[in-house]
Amino acid sequence: MPLTPFEIMASKIWSMGLVVLVAATFGLEVMVRGAVGVVISGSVPLFLLGVALTLLATTAMGIFLGTVARSMPQFGLLMILILLPLQVLSGSLTPRESMPLLVQRIMLIAPTTHFVGLAQAILYRGAGIGVVWPQFLAILGIAALFFAAALIRFRRSIGTMQS
C-alpha cells in the first residue's frame, strides 16, 4: 500500500528532526556542559522541546519551499534567499532591538525568531514554561501553517504527476 502525502511528509520531518535533535543534545551536553564547562541555568528537556518544535516548523517550511521550486537548483537558490535572512534577522547574530521596527514585526512570522527568544530565556535565565509558552505557541502555529500549506501543495504536485 503506497504512503499518503501526509505520511511522506511526516516521515521526512521525523527522520531529519531526530538527527538534528540528537546532535543538539550531544552538543549541549558533551560540548557546552562537558568540554567548555558552561553552567546551564534552565531545563534542558524544555529547551529540547523547543528545538523539536522549531525543527518541525523549519522542516515544514523547507518542504513547502520544495513544493514551490521547480528544480533542485531553483530550490537551492530559494533556500539561500530564505535561510540567510531568517538566520541574520532572527536575533541570534544581532539583537532584534537594534533592527528597524518593521523588520522586527516581519520577523515574528519566522520560527527562528521565537526559538532564539525561548532558547536564551531557558538556557541563560532559567525560564520555565510559564515564561516561554508564547514562543512555544507561536512556533507551533507557524509549524501548523507551513505543514498544512506544504501538504496541500504536495498533494497537488503528486496529483499532477499521476495525471
Side-chain angles (χ1 to χ4, degrees):
M1 181 170 176
L3 295 174
T4 66
F6 178 83
E7 291 169 334
I8 294 169
M9 283 180 48
S11 66
K12 289 193 178 292
I13 290 172
W14 171 250
S15 63
M16 293 305 299
L18 186 60
V19 169
V20 175
L21 196 58
V22 168
T25 305
F26 174 81
L28 191 63
E29 293 294 333
V30 175
M31 300 308 295
V32 174
R33 276 189 174 170
V36 182
V38 173
V39 176
I40 296 172
S41 299
S43 167
V44 173
L46 184 62
F47 169 73
L48 292 175
L49 178 62
V51 171
L53 283 176
T54 304
L55 288 169
L56 173 66
T58 55
T59 308
M61 185 184 297
I63 294 171
F64 173 75
L65 292 174
T67 63
V68 171
R70 292 195 172 114
S71 65
M72 282 305 290
Q74 188 180 38
F75 177 70
L77 290 172
L78 191 57
M79 290 305 290
I80 290 170
L81 289 172
I82 300 295
L83 288 180
L84 286 176
L86 278 181
Q87 284 304 111
V88 172
L89 300 175
S90 67
S92 63
L93 301 176
T94 58
R96 289 188 64 239
E97 295 78 26
S98 66
M99 297 176 198
L101 188 58
L102 178 63
V103 174
Q104 289 181 33
R105 288 186 178 149
I106 290 171
M107 287 308 295
L108 289 176
I109 62 171
T112 51
T113 301
H114 301 285
F115 175 72
V116 168
L118 77 85
Q120 290 174 348
I122 293 169
L123 297 178
Y124 300 152
R125 295 184 289 279
I129 191 70
V131 174
V132 295
W133 70 266
Q135 286 89 1
F136 275 89
L137 192 61
I139 293 170
L140 191 59
I142 293 166
L145 179 74
F146 275 108
F147 190 86
L151 187 60
I152 290 166
R153 289 192 56 88
F154 193 52
R155 283 184 177 150
R156 282 187 195 150
S157 66
I158 287 177
T160 58
M161 288 192 302
Q162 293 173 350
S163 300

Coordinates of all heavy atoms in Angstrom, one line a residue, residues 14-83:
W14 N 10.2 13.7 10.7 CA 10.6 12.8 11.8 C 12.1 12.4 11.6 O 12.9 12.5 12.6 CB 9.7 11.6 11.9 CG 10.2 10.6 12.9 CD1 10.7 9.4 12.6 CD2 10.3 10.7 14.3 NE1 11.0 8.7 13.7 CE2 10.8 9.5 14.8 CE3 9.9 11.7 15.2 CZ2 11.0 9.3 16.2 CZ3 10.1 11.4 16.5 CH2 10.6 10.3 17.0
S15 N 12.5 12.0 10.5 CA 13.9 11.5 10.3 C 14.9 12.6 10.4 O 15.9 12.5 11.1 CB 14.0 10.8 8.9 OG 13.7 11.7 7.8
M16 N 14.6 13.7 9.7 CA 15.6 14.9 9.8 C 15.5 15.5 11.2 O 16.6 15.8 11.8 CB 15.2 15.9 8.8 CG 15.4 15.5 7.4 SD 17.1 14.9 7.0 CE 18.0 16.3 7.4
G17 N 14.4 15.6 11.8 CA 14.3 16.1 13.1 C 15.0 15.3 14.2 O 15.7 15.9 15.1
L18 N 14.9 14.0 14.1 CA 15.6 13.1 15.0 C 17.1 13.3 15.0 O 17.8 13.4 16.0 CB 15.2 11.7 14.8 CG 15.7 10.7 15.8 CD1 15.1 11.0 17.2 CD2 15.2 9.3 15.4
V19 N 17.6 13.4 13.8 CA 19.1 13.5 13.6 C 19.6 14.8 14.2 O 20.5 14.9 15.0 CB 19.5 13.4 12.1 CG1 20.9 13.9 11.9 CG2 19.3 12.0 11.6
V20 N 18.9 15.9 14.0 CA 19.3 17.2 14.5 C 19.0 17.3 16.0 O 19.8 17.9 16.7 CB 18.5 18.4 13.7 CG1 18.8 19.7 14.3 CG2 18.9 18.4 12.3
L21 N 18.0 16.7 16.5 CA 17.7 16.7 17.9 C 18.8 15.9 18.7 O 19.3 16.4 19.7 CB 16.3 16.1 18.2 CG 15.7 16.3 19.5 CD1 15.6 17.8 19.8 CD2 14.4 15.7 19.6
V22 N 19.3 14.8 18.1 CA 20.4 14.1 18.8 C 21.6 14.9 18.7 O 22.4 15.0 19.7 CB 20.6 12.7 18.1 CG1 21.9 12.0 18.5 CG2 19.4 11.8 18.4
A23 N 21.9 15.6 17.6 CA 23.1 16.4 17.5 C 23.0 17.6 18.5 O 24.0 18.0 19.1 CB 23.3 16.9 16.1
A24 N 21.9 18.2 18.6 CA 21.7 19.3 19.6 C 21.9 18.9 21.0 O 22.6 19.5 21.8 CB 20.3 19.9 19.4
T25 N 21.4 17.7 21.3 CA 21.6 17.1 22.7 C 23.0 16.9 22.9 O 23.6 17.2 24.0 CB 20.7 15.9 22.9 OG1 19.4 16.1 22.5 CG2 20.8 15.3 24.3
F26 N 23.7 16.2 22.0 CA 25.1 15.9 22.1 C 25.9 17.2 22.3 O 26.8 17.3 23.1 CB 25.6 15.2 20.8 CG 27.1 15.0 20.8 CD1 27.7 13.9 21.5 CD2 27.9 15.8 20.1 CE1 29.0 13.8 21.5 CE2 29.3 15.6 20.1 CZ 29.9 14.6 20.8
G27 N 25.6 18.2 21.4 CA 26.4 19.5 21.5 C 26.2 20.2 22.8 O 27.1 20.7 23.4
L28 N 25.0 20.2 23.3 CA 24.7 20.8 24.6 C 25.3 20.1 25.8 O 25.9 20.7 26.6 CB 23.1 20.9 24.8 CG 22.6 21.8 25.9 CD1 23.0 23.2 25.7 CD2 21.1 21.7 26.0
E29 N 25.1 18.8 25.8 CA 25.6 18.0 27.0 C 27.1 17.8 26.9 O 27.8 18.0 27.9 CB 24.9 16.7 27.0 CG 23.4 16.8 27.4 CD 23.2 17.3 28.8 OE1 24.0 17.1 29.7 OE2 22.1 17.9 29.0
V30 N 27.6 17.3 25.8 CA 29.1 17.0 25.7 C 30.0 18.2 25.5 O 30.9 18.3 26.2 CB 29.3 15.9 24.6 CG1 30.8 15.6 24.4 CG2 28.5 14.7 24.9
M31 N 29.6 19.0 24.6 CA 30.5 20.2 24.3 C 30.3 21.3 25.3 O 31.2 21.8 25.9 CB 30.3 20.6 22.9 CG 30.6 19.5 21.8 SD 32.2 18.7 22.0 CE 33.3 20.1 21.7
V32 N 29.1 21.8 25.4 CA 28.8 23.0 26.2 C 29.0 22.7 27.7 O 29.8 23.4 28.4 CB 27.4 23.6 25.9 CG1 27.1 24.7 26.9 CG2 27.3 24.0 24.5
R33 N 28.4 21.7 28.2 CA 28.5 21.4 29.6 C 29.8 20.7 29.9 O 30.5 21.0 30.9 CB 27.4 20.5 30.1 CG 26.1 21.2 30.4 CD 25.1 20.2 31.1 NE 24.0 20.9 31.5 CZ 22.9 20.3 32.0 NH1 22.8 19.0 32.0 NH2 21.9 21.0 32.4
G34 N 30.2 19.7 29.1 CA 31.3 18.9 29.4 C 32.7 19.5 29.0 O 33.5 19.8 29.9
A35 N 32.9 19.8 27.8 CA 34.2 20.3 27.3 C 34.4 21.8 27.7 O 35.5 22.1 28.2 CB 34.3 20.2 25.8
V36 N 33.4 22.6 27.6 CA 33.6 24.0 27.9 C 33.3 24.3 29.3 O 33.8 25.3 29.9 CB 32.7 24.9 26.9 CG1 32.9 26.4 27.2 CG2 33.0 24.6 25.5
G37 N 32.4 23.5 29.9 CA 32.1 23.7 31.4 C 31.1 24.8 31.7 O 31.1 25.4 32.8
V38 N 30.2 25.2 30.7 CA 29.3 26.2 30.9 C 28.1 25.7 31.8 O 27.6 24.6 31.5 CB 28.7 26.7 29.6 CG1 27.6 27.7 29.8 CG2 29.8 27.4 28.8
V39 N 27.7 26.4 32.8 CA 26.6 26.1 33.6 C 25.3 26.5 32.9 O 25.2 27.7 32.5 CB 26.7 26.7 35.0 CG1 25.5 26.4 35.8 CG2 27.9 26.3 35.7
I40 N 24.4 25.6 32.7 CA 23.1 25.9 32.1 C 22.1 26.1 33.2 O 21.9 25.2 34.0 CB 22.7 24.7 31.1 CG1 23.7 24.6 30.0 CG2 21.3 25.0 30.6 CD1 23.5 23.4 29.1
S41 N 21.4 27.3 33.2 CA 20.5 27.6 34.2 C 19.2 26.9 34.2 O 18.6 26.7 35.2 CB 20.3 29.2 34.2 OG 21.5 29.8 34.4
G42 N 18.7 26.7 33.0 CA 17.3 26.2 32.8 C 17.2 24.7 32.5 O 18.2 24.0 32.6
S43 N 16.0 24.3 32.2 CA 15.6 23.0 31.9 C 16.1 22.5 30.5 O 15.6 23.1 29.5 CB 14.1 22.8 32.1 OG 13.7 21.6 31.6
V44 N 16.9 21.5 30.5 CA 17.4 21.0 29.2 C 16.2 20.3 28.4 O 16.1 20.5 27.2 CB 18.6 20.1 29.3 CG1 19.0 19.4 28.0 CG2 19.8 20.9 29.8
P45 N 15.4 19.5 29.1 CA 14.2 18.9 28.4 C 13.3 20.0 27.8 O 12.8 19.8 26.7 CB 13.5 18.1 29.4 CG 14.6 17.7 30.4 CD 15.5 19.0 30.4
L46 N 13.1 21.1 28.5 CA 12.2 22.2 28.0 C 12.9 22.8 26.7 O 12.2 23.1 25.7 CB 12.0 23.2 29.0 CG 11.0 24.3 28.7 CD1 9.6 23.8 28.4 CD2 10.9 25.3 29.8
F47 N 14.2 23.0 26.8 CA 14.9 23.5 25.7 C 14.8 22.6 24.5 O 14.6 23.0 23.3 CB 16.4 23.8 26.0 CG 17.2 24.1 24.8 CD1 17.2 25.3 24.2 CD2 18.1 23.1 24.4 CE1 18.0 25.6 23.1 CE2 18.9 23.4 23.3 CZ 18.9 24.6 22.6
L48 N 15.0 21.3 24.7 CA 14.9 20.3 23.6 C 13.5 20.2 23.0 O 13.4 19.9 21.8 CB 15.4 18.9 24.1 CG 16.9 18.9 24.4 CD1 17.3 17.5 25.0 CD2 17.7 19.2 23.2
L49 N 12.5 20.5 23.8 CA 11.1 20.5 23.3 C 11.0 21.7 22.3 O 10.4 21.6 21.3 CB 10.1 20.7 24.4 CG 8.7 20.8 24.0 CD1 8.2 19.6 23.2 CD2 7.8 21.0 25.2
G50 N 11.6 22.8 22.7 CA 11.7 24.0 21.8 C 12.4 23.7 20.5 O 12.0 24.1 19.5
V51 N 13.5 23.0 20.7 CA 14.3 22.6 19.5 C 13.4 21.7 18.6 O 13.4 21.9 17.4 CB 15.6 21.8 19.9 CG1 16.3 21.2 18.7 CG2 16.6 22.7 20.6
A52 N 12.7 20.7 19.2 CA 11.9 19.8 18.4 C 10.8 20.6 17.6 O 10.5 20.3 16.5 CB 11.3 18.7 19.3
L53 N 10.1 21.5 18.3 CA 9.1 22.3 17.7 C 9.6 23.2 16.6 O 9.0 23.3 15.5 CB 8.3 23.2 18.7 CG 7.3 22.5 19.6 CD1 6.8 23.5 20.6 CD2 6.2 21.9 18.8
T54 N 10.8 23.7 16.8 CA 11.5 24.6 15.8 C 11.8 23.7 14.6 O 11.7 24.1 13.4 CB 12.7 25.3 16.3 OG1 12.3 26.1 17.5 CG2 13.3 26.2 15.3
L55 N 12.3 22.5 14.8 CA 12.6 21.6 13.7 C 11.4 21.3 12.9 O 11.4 21.2 11.7 CB 13.3 20.3 14.3 CG 14.7 20.5 14.8 CD1 15.1 19.2 15.5 CD2 15.6 20.8 13.6
L56 N 10.3 21.1 13.6 CA 9.0 20.8 12.9 C 8.7 22.0 12.0 O 8.3 21.8 10.8 CB 7.9 20.5 13.9 CG 6.5 20.4 13.4 CD1 6.4 19.2 12.5 CD2 5.5 20.4 14.5
A57 N 8.8 23.2 12.5 CA 8.4 24.4 11.8 C 9.4 24.6 10.6 O 8.9 24.9 9.5 CB 8.4 25.6 12.7
T58 N 10.7 24.5 10.8 CA 11.6 24.8 9.7 C 11.6 23.7 8.7 O 11.8 23.9 7.5 CB 13.0 25.0 10.3 OG1 13.4 23.9 11.1 CG2 13.1 26.2 11.1
T59 N 11.4 22.4 9.1 CA 11.3 21.3 8.1 C 10.0 21.5 7.3 O 10.1 21.3 6.1 CB 11.4 20.0 8.8 OG1 12.5 19.9 9.6 CG2 11.5 18.9 7.8
A60 N 8.9 21.8 7.9 CA 7.7 22.0 7.2 C 7.9 23.2 6.2 O 7.4 23.2 5.0 CB 6.5 22.3 8.1
M61 N 8.6 24.2 6.6 CA 8.9 25.4 5.7 C 9.7 24.9 4.6 O 9.5 25.3 3.4 CB 9.6 26.5 6.5 CG 9.9 27.7 5.8 SD 10.9 29.0 6.7 CE 9.8 29.3 8.1
G62 N 10.7 24.1 4.8 CA 11.6 23.6 3.7 C 10.8 22.7 2.7 O 11.0 22.8 1.5
I63 N 9.9 21.9 3.2 CA 9.1 21.1 2.4 C 8.1 22.0 1.5 O 8.0 21.7 0.3 CB 8.3 20.0 3.1 CG1 9.2 19.0 3.8 CG2 7.2 19.3 2.2 CD1 8.5 18.0 4.7
F64 N 7.6 23.0 2.2 CA 6.8 23.9 1.4 C 7.6 24.6 0.3 O 7.1 24.7 -0.8 CB 6.2 25.0 2.4 CG 5.5 26.1 1.6 CD1 4.2 25.8 1.1 CD2 6.0 27.3 1.5 CE1 3.5 26.8 0.5 CE2 5.4 28.3 0.8 CZ 4.1 28.1 0.3
L65 N 8.8 25.0 0.6 CA 9.6 25.7 -0.4 C 10.0 24.7 -1.5 O 10.1 25.0 -2.7 CB 10.9 26.3 0.2 CG 10.6 27.5 1.1 CD1 11.9 27.9 1.8 CD2 10.0 28.6 0.3
G66 N 10.1 23.4 -1.1 CA 10.4 22.4 -2.1 C 9.2 22.1 -3.1 O 9.4 21.8 -4.2
T67 N 8.0 22.4 -2.6 CA 6.9 22.3 -3.5 C 6.7 23.5 -4.4 O 6.1 23.4 -5.4 CB 5.5 22.1 -2.7 OG1 5.3 23.2 -1.9 CG2 5.6 20.8 -1.8
V68 N 7.3 24.6 -4.0 CA 7.3 25.8 -4.8 C 8.3 25.8 -5.9 O 8.0 26.2 -7.1 CB 7.5 27.1 -3.9 CG1 7.6 28.3 -4.7 CG2 6.3 27.2 -2.9
A69 N 9.5 25.3 -5.6 CA 10.6 25.2 -6.6 C 10.3 24.2 -7.7 O 9.7 23.1 -7.4 CB 11.9 24.9 -5.9
R70 N 10.7 24.5 -8.9 CA 10.5 23.5 -10.0 C 11.7 22.6 -10.2 O 11.6 21.6 -11.0 CB 10.2 24.3 -11.2 CG 8.8 25.0 -11.1 CD 8.3 25.4 -12.5 NE 7.0 25.9 -12.4 CZ 6.6 27.2 -12.6 NH1 7.5 28.1 -12.9 NH2 5.4 27.5 -12.4
S71 N 12.9 22.9 -9.6 CA 14.1 22.1 -9.8 C 15.0 22.2 -8.6 O 14.8 23.2 -7.8 CB 14.8 22.6 -11.1 OG 15.3 23.9 -10.9
M72 N 15.9 21.4 -8.5 CA 16.8 21.4 -7.3 C 17.7 22.7 -7.3 O 17.9 23.3 -6.3 CB 17.7 20.2 -7.3 CG 17.0 19.0 -6.7 SD 16.3 19.2 -5.1 CE 17.8 19.3 -4.1
P73 N 18.2 23.2 -8.5 CA 18.9 24.4 -8.5 C 18.1 25.6 -8.0 O 18.5 26.5 -7.3 CB 19.4 24.6 -9.9 CG 19.5 23.3 -10.5 CD 18.4 22.5 -9.8
Q74 N 16.8 25.6 -8.5 CA 15.9 26.7 -8.1 C 15.6 26.6 -6.6 O 15.6 27.6 -5.9 CB 14.6 26.6 -8.9 CG 13.7 27.8 -8.6 CD 12.4 27.6 -9.5 OE1 11.9 26.5 -9.6 NE2 11.9 28.8 -10.0
F75 N 15.5 25.4 -6.1 CA 15.3 25.2 -4.6 C 16.5 25.7 -3.8 O 16.3 26.3 -2.8 CB 15.0 23.7 -4.3 CG 14.9 23.4 -2.9 CD1 13.7 23.8 -2.2 CD2 15.9 22.7 -2.2 CE1 13.6 23.5 -0.8 CE2 15.7 22.4 -0.8 CZ 14.6 22.8 -0.2
G76 N 17.7 25.4 -4.3 CA 18.9 25.8 -3.6 C 19.0 27.4 -3.5 O 19.3 27.9 -2.5
L77 N 18.6 28.0 -4.6 CA 18.6 29.5 -4.6 C 17.5 30.0 -3.7 O 17.8 31.0 -3.0 CB 18.5 30.0 -6.1 CG 19.7 29.8 -7.0 CD1 19.3 30.2 -8.4 CD2 20.9 30.6 -6.5
L78 N 16.4 29.4 -3.7 CA 15.3 29.8 -2.9 C 15.7 29.7 -1.4 O 15.4 30.5 -0.6 CB 14.0 29.0 -3.2 CG 12.7 29.4 -2.6 CD1 12.4 30.9 -3.0 CD2 11.6 28.5 -3.1
M79 N 16.3 28.6 -1.1 CA 16.8 28.4 0.3 C 17.8 29.4 0.7 O 17.7 29.9 1.9 CB 17.4 27.0 0.5 CG 16.3 25.9 0.4 SD 15.0 26.0 1.5 CE 15.8 25.7 3.1
I80 N 18.7 29.8 -0.1 CA 19.6 30.9 0.2 C 18.9 32.2 0.5 O 19.2 32.9 1.5 CB 20.7 31.1 -0.9 CG1 21.6 29.9 -1.0 CG2 21.5 32.4 -0.7 CD1 22.5 29.8 -2.2
L81 N 17.9 32.5 -0.4 CA 17.1 33.7 -0.2 C 16.3 33.7 1.1 O 16.0 34.8 1.6 CB 16.2 34.0 -1.4 CG 16.9 34.4 -2.7 CD1 15.9 34.4 -3.8 CD2 17.6 35.7 -2.5
I82 N 15.9 32.5 1.6 CA 15.1 32.4 2.8 C 15.9 32.2 4.0 O 15.7 32.9 5.0 CB 14.1 31.3 2.6 CG1 13.2 31.5 1.4 CG2 13.3 31.1 3.9 CD1 12.2 32.7 1.5
L83 N 16.9 31.3 4.0 CA 17.6 30.9 5.2 C 18.5 32.0 5.7 O 18.6 32.2 6.9 CB 18.4 29.7 4.9 CG 17.6 28.4 4.8 CD1 18.5 27.2 4.6 CD2 16.8 28.2 6.1

